[in-house]
Amino acid sequence: MSNKSKQPLMLAIDTSCDETSAAVTRGRIVLSNIVASQAQLHQPYGGVFPTVAKLAHVENIDRTIDTALKRAQISYRQLDAVAVTAGPGLAPALEVGIGKAKDLAQQYSKPLIAVNHIEAHALSSLLQRQSNKNKLSVKNTSWPVLSLVVSGGHSEFILVAKIGQYQRLGHTIDDAAGECLDKVGRILSLGYPAGPVIEEFAQRGDHTRFKFPLPMTTSRNYNLSFSGLKTFARNLIASLEKSDQLNKQTTYDCCASFQHAVFRHITYKLEKVLQQHPVKEVWLGGGVTANIYLRKIVRQQLKAHQLKLYTPFSKKICGDNAAMIGLVASFRFAQQQFVSNPNQLTRKPRWPITD
Ligand code: KG4
Ligand code: ZN
């Protein structure tokens, strides 16, 4: 290994959706983490358009990798391995990162590590800044952990027995939470992604103004469903528009009530999970977990269970980023779990974390 530290030095790449990201990590320390967002490009569609995403990844990838290496002041020669997201994600988007990672691994004779994007979100609370000692570490973790991944593509309760041993306790049966926030934001013309705007508007609104239903209360499993809330919001907005009541304040109230309903559904199911599964810690990951209101209500809920909540160290680490890919790759590196034939590595758009 090329460094004084025993931790592997990793170049990590993620092109699973609409962010082109490259990072350099040493174990769980982030040396650089570059995220080139395509949000502006997808604005007109109100969601991610796969072929547009692919072209933008192709255009951005080299520059993003160069910047990540320069910021970390690391050369290709110094790297211990190259890591890349192999799935799940948008097939055309995944291909770009995989192709680049294969080329680099071959060109510089480095091992190649394939990483699951959901596993990366699930473990992202373990990452730490170079300057800052994060209290959470694998050594100090009390297992089992419940990791709640809430993003634009996924909403899952994952039981982590230890690193690499996962059980998916529940997942969304339709839209993901972030997708649902984005779709309702589109109806309100809030741009893409709408999650952060809804959070901001909600702070100025009254979440008790509009009563949304609580989904899936009769099902005994831990699955989630957001499409009913989306339909309820669509009908509510249409009726407010029709009666000429969709002013600034009702829009804020609508955002507050809708956001509250989305998170109440998550916390309702979280309570069920906690009652049945005596976990020791709860971790959050995924773009939606940047939301301060979500963190607040989950933290309050966990107090009653005397459980601590751990979150990624910054909003950037909540959303799609390659540093979390580097983190997972460092665990695979320790087990020498490399892609045996890089030429055969293909995208896995539906790769489950349990595989
Ligand atoms: O993790 P991520 O970057 O990509 C996926 O893996 O899907 O998550 C993106 C999602 C979007 O739906 C976006 O609206 C949502 O995360 N999001 C938020 C916030 N920031 C991003 N949702 C609610 N509140 C936020 N502050
Ligand atoms: Zn993601």
Side-chain angles (χ1 to χ4, degrees):
M1 210 170 296
S2 55
N3 292 288
K4 289 168 259 161
S5 135
K6 284 193 213 96
Q7 295 297 328
L9 194 55
M10 203 70 66
L11 170 67
I13 299 169
D14 181 275
T15 62
S16 58
C17 190
D18 61 339
E19 323 278 9
T20 313
S21 184
V24 179
T25 52
R26 182 182 286 126
R28 63 196 187 98
I29 299 173
V30 182
L31 302 184
S32 66
N33 188 23
I34 309 300
V35 180
S37 175
Q38 305 174 4
Q40 290 295 335
L41 288 176
H42 300 288
Q43 282 278 357
Y45 311 102
V48 183
F49 204 83
T51 45
V52 173
K54 177 176 180 155
L55 289 175
H57 284 311
V58 170
E59 199 175 308
N60 291 332
I61 190 125
D62 287 339
R63 206 171 356 147
T64 307
I65 293 171
D66 276 357
T67 313
L69 288 164
K70 284 203 179 104
R71 287 251 176 107
Q73 297 189 296
I74 294 292
S75 67
Y76 283 110
R77 268 190 324 103
Q78 291 172 281
L79 295 170
D80 291 305
V82 176
V84 67
T85 301
L90 301 172
L94 288 164
E95 274 170 10
V96 181
I98 292 172
K100 192 79 215 170
K102 275 183 192 172
D103 289 351
L104 291 174
Q106 265 164 358
Q107 188 178 344
Y108 295 98
S109 306
K110 305 290 176 187
L112 181 63
I113 301 175
V115 173
N116 180 297
H117 184 85
I118 304 300
E119 182 180 10
H121 275 308
L123 305 185
S124 58
S125 294
L126 286 168
L127 281 169
Q128 73 172 45
R129 284 194 176 93
Q130 231 178 325
S131 53
N132 222 339
K133 285 270 175 277
N134 178 349
K135 276 189 246 117
L136 192 58
S137 72
V138 176
K139 212 173 71 200
N140 298 332
T141 297
S142 305
W143 308 100
V145 166
L146 178 71
S147 189
L148 177 52
V149 175
V150 196
S151 71
H154 304 273
S155 303
E156 309 197 348
F157 294 109
I158 298 158
L159 188 65
V160 187
K162 60 176 194 178
I163 302 291
Q165 241 181 56
Y166 309 106
Q167 187 188 347
R168 195 174 72 161
L169 298 176
H171 63 99
T172 179
I173 57 166
D174 40 55
D175 291 350
E179 184 183 4
C180 176
L181 289 165
D182 291 339
K183 284 179 177 167
V184 170
R186 190 181 182 193
I187 301 170
L188 287 167
S189 307
L190 301 182
Y192 173 83
V197 186
I198 291 181
E199 175 178 28
E200 203 189 311
F201 278 20
Q203 284 163 7
R204 298 176 221 168
D206 172 8
H207 76 260
T208 62
R209 168 102 184 255
F210 302 111
K211 298 266 172 293
F212 277 72
L214 181 60
M216 309 268 282
T217 49
T218 52
S219 75
R220 295 180 56 158
N221 58 33
Y222 309 119
N223 286 343
L224 297 154
S225 166
F226 296 97
S227 72
L229 294 176
K230 180 184 65 188
T231 306
F232 192 93
R234 184 189 291 125
N235 293 340
L236 171 68
I237 295 162
S239 86
L240 287 170
E241 251 173 350
K242 202 170 162 199
S243 55
D244 213 15
Q245 287 183 74
L246 196 63
N247 56 32
K248 221 169 170 185
Q249 192 55 50
T250 42
T251 302
Y252 293 155
D253 293 343
C254 204
C255 286
S257 303
F258 170 61
Q259 178 185 264
H260 180 76
V262 168
F263 296 161
R264 191 168 67 124
H265 176 39
I266 293 172
T267 52
Y268 174 85
K269 289 289 180 163
L270 174 60
E271 193 58 38
K272 285 200 174 308
V273 172
L274 294 175
Q275 280 166 11
Q276 301 294 323
H277 296 272
V279 297
K280 303 273 178 45
E281 294 179 8
V282 176
W283 300 353
L284 296 185
V288 180
T289 68
N291 189 291
I292 302 300
Y293 183 63
L294 174 64
R295 289 179 180 200
K296 194 173 125 193
I297 57 175
V298 172
R299 198 166 271 126
Q300 272 168 1
Q301 183 180 11
L302 295 186
K303 258 192 191 157
H305 294 269
Q306 294 174 331
L307 286 172
K308 264 193 148 176
L309 180 69
Y310 291 96
T311 57
F313 71 70
S314 73
K315 285 193 177 187
K316 192 170 169 185
I317 299 289
C318 293
D320 285 352
N321 71 90
M324 64 182 191
I325 305 304
L327 169 79
V328 174
S330 71
F331 299 128
R332 297 296 108 82
F333 189 95
Q335 311 287 323
Q336 300 282 291
Q337 287 176 0
F338 305 131
V339 176
S340 50
N341 183 352
N343 282 327
Q344 280 174 7
L345 177 64
T346 51
R347 56 189 168 69
K348 303 176 189 175
R350 298 188 170 276
W351 190 12
I353 188 174
T354 45
D355 203 358

